[in-house]
Amino acid sequence: KYLHFYSNLFRDSGLKKIFEILQENHQITHLDIGCNDLTDGSLICMMDIIKSTNIKSLQLGRREESLQMNRYTKDSLNKFMDAISERNSLECFGISGIPLVKQKVVFNTGQFSKHLSNLISKCSKLKTLDISYCGLTDNDQLILSESFSNCRSIHNLDISHNSFPFKTKIIDGICLLDNLIRLDLSSCEISKTSCDIISSRFSHGWGIIDLNLSENPIGTLGISKLFESLSKNNTLVSLNL
């Protein structure tokens, strides 16, 4: 069921071989090809994997900062995500770090969050989403908030190491994810105001068991309000501040 080629530095031609393996072994549902040397040259093959195999879990990103990332441009990522949205078969998707790869051509910065939002809204089976280190900012908050508001399936969300210092819309949207179990918001520059929204959500019942708010300028008052709301919580198992 699981095929892991994480950090093997294979190139675009190697993905064709993996596609052949997936075609011959229909029981494989989980594919991890993060931290290799894949580029836009593998776009067609990647689209074939999305459209023509039984993959339910696709990991393209990285888990360690020191490792080389796949070198897809945002334009290719947008096309991947549109194909994923159309197929609506993925339960897990990870692209950590890829949108931060230096690109020779600068595309419309708002397009990436637009395609990502479309994926979140349309993938009704999606349970795990890793969009950490994706260069998301306050300008992306509104459209992502709308997609989270329309999503009911996500259980595990890693949106860490993005930047949301001023607005709170994305926190409003995330707090509408009723089935959320794990949430990583570390190093997102979120303020006391955002933390207060999370605290209020806990006060009204929220079944999260793992919450990471570390490396954020929440401050003493923000932490105090969070502790107050958690004093009556009986689901949280892990809290990282």
Side-chain angles (χ1 to χ4, degrees), residues 37-234:
D37 195 19
L38 298 173
T39 71
D40 289 0
S42 66
L43 175 61
I44 294 176
C45 188
M46 195 71 245
M47 299 282 275
D48 287 338
I49 289 176
I50 293 168
K51 295 177 180 179
S52 307
T53 70
N54 292 330
I55 291 300
K56 295 181 180 178
S57 174
L58 179 61
Q59 155 63 14
L60 298 172
R62 67 181 181 186
R63 294 192 292 270
E64 296 87 10
E65 262 191 271
S66 60
L67 296 180
Q68 172 180 305
M69 293 178 286
N70 287 318
R71 294 181 288 121
Y72 292 119
T73 63
K74 286 185 179 179
D75 190 44
S76 285
L77 275 180
N78 292 343
K79 292 174 182 177
F80 293 163
M81 291 191 292
D82 286 347
I84 290 170
S85 301
E86 183 178 345
R87 181 79 190 277
N88 189 20
S89 60
L90 281 193
E91 297 178 2
C92 303
F93 184 52
I95 51 172
S96 177
I98 295 179
L100 296 182
V101 174
K102 292 182 179 179
Q103 303 179 23
K104 294 181 180 179
V105 179
V106 179
F107 298 94
N108 187 332
T109 55
Q111 288 299 308
F112 172 69
S113 58
K114 178 181 177 181
H115 290 268
L116 176 59
S117 177
N118 183 57
L119 181 147
I120 295 171
S121 297
K122 292 188 175 181
C123 289
S124 59
K125 302 175 183 177
L126 191 66
K127 295 181 180 178
T128 298
L129 180 64
D130 185 351
I131 47 174
S132 58
Y133 293 97
C134 278
L136 299 170
T137 68
D138 281 330
N139 293 330
D140 303 308
Q141 285 207 47
L142 181 58
I143 190 167
L144 289 175
S145 175
E146 292 173 352
S147 64
F148 284 129
S149 300
N150 296 325
C151 178
R152 293 294 177 268
S153 61
I154 292 181
H155 287 59
N156 306 287
L157 176 62
D158 188 345
I159 195 171
S160 63
H161 294 86
N162 290 290
S163 179
F164 311 118
F166 300 116
K167 302 176 183 178
T168 62
K169 278 291 182 181
I170 196 165
I171 303 300
D172 291 332
I174 290 173
C175 285
L176 292 174
L177 295 171
D178 292 333
N179 295 313
L180 203 60
I181 295 174
R182 292 181 175 85
L183 174 61
D184 190 342
L185 276 165
S186 59
S187 298
C188 282
E189 301 180 61
I190 64 170
S191 64
K192 172 189 176 295
T193 305
S194 293
C195 185
D196 287 348
I197 294 171
I198 294 173
S199 300
S200 177
R201 182 63 177 88
F202 273 114
S203 298
H204 293 87
W206 207 13
I208 287 184
I209 64 172
D210 188 342
L211 176 64
N212 189 343
L213 292 175
S214 62
E215 299 183 69
N216 285 299
I218 294 169
T220 303
L221 294 178
I223 294 295
S224 298
K225 186 168 183 178
L226 179 65
F227 283 161
E228 183 180 351
S229 67
L230 289 175
S231 64
K232 298 178 182 179
N233 177 275
N234 60 1

Side-chain angles (χ1 to χ4, degrees), residues 3-63:
L3 188 60
H4 289 183
F5 279 98
Y6 184 79
S7 186
N8 280 269
L9 294 182
F10 68 81
R11 297 182 178 178
D12 295 342
S13 58
L15 191 60
K16 296 179 181 178
K17 294 295 184 182
I18 290 179
F19 179 46
E20 292 174 6
I21 293 173
L22 295 174
Q23 285 183 307
E24 295 172 3
N25 298 270
H26 300 292
Q27 77 278 10
I28 298 175
T29 55
H30 293 65
L31 178 63
D32 187 341
I33 48 176
C35 289
N36 285 289
D37 195 19
L38 298 173
T39 71
D40 289 0
S42 66
L43 175 61
I44 294 176
C45 188
M46 195 71 245
M47 299 282 275
D48 287 338
I49 289 176
I50 293 168
K51 295 177 180 179
S52 307
T53 70
N54 292 330
I55 291 300
K56 295 181 180 178
S57 174
L58 179 61
Q59 155 63 14
L60 298 172
R62 67 181 181 186
R63 294 192 292 270

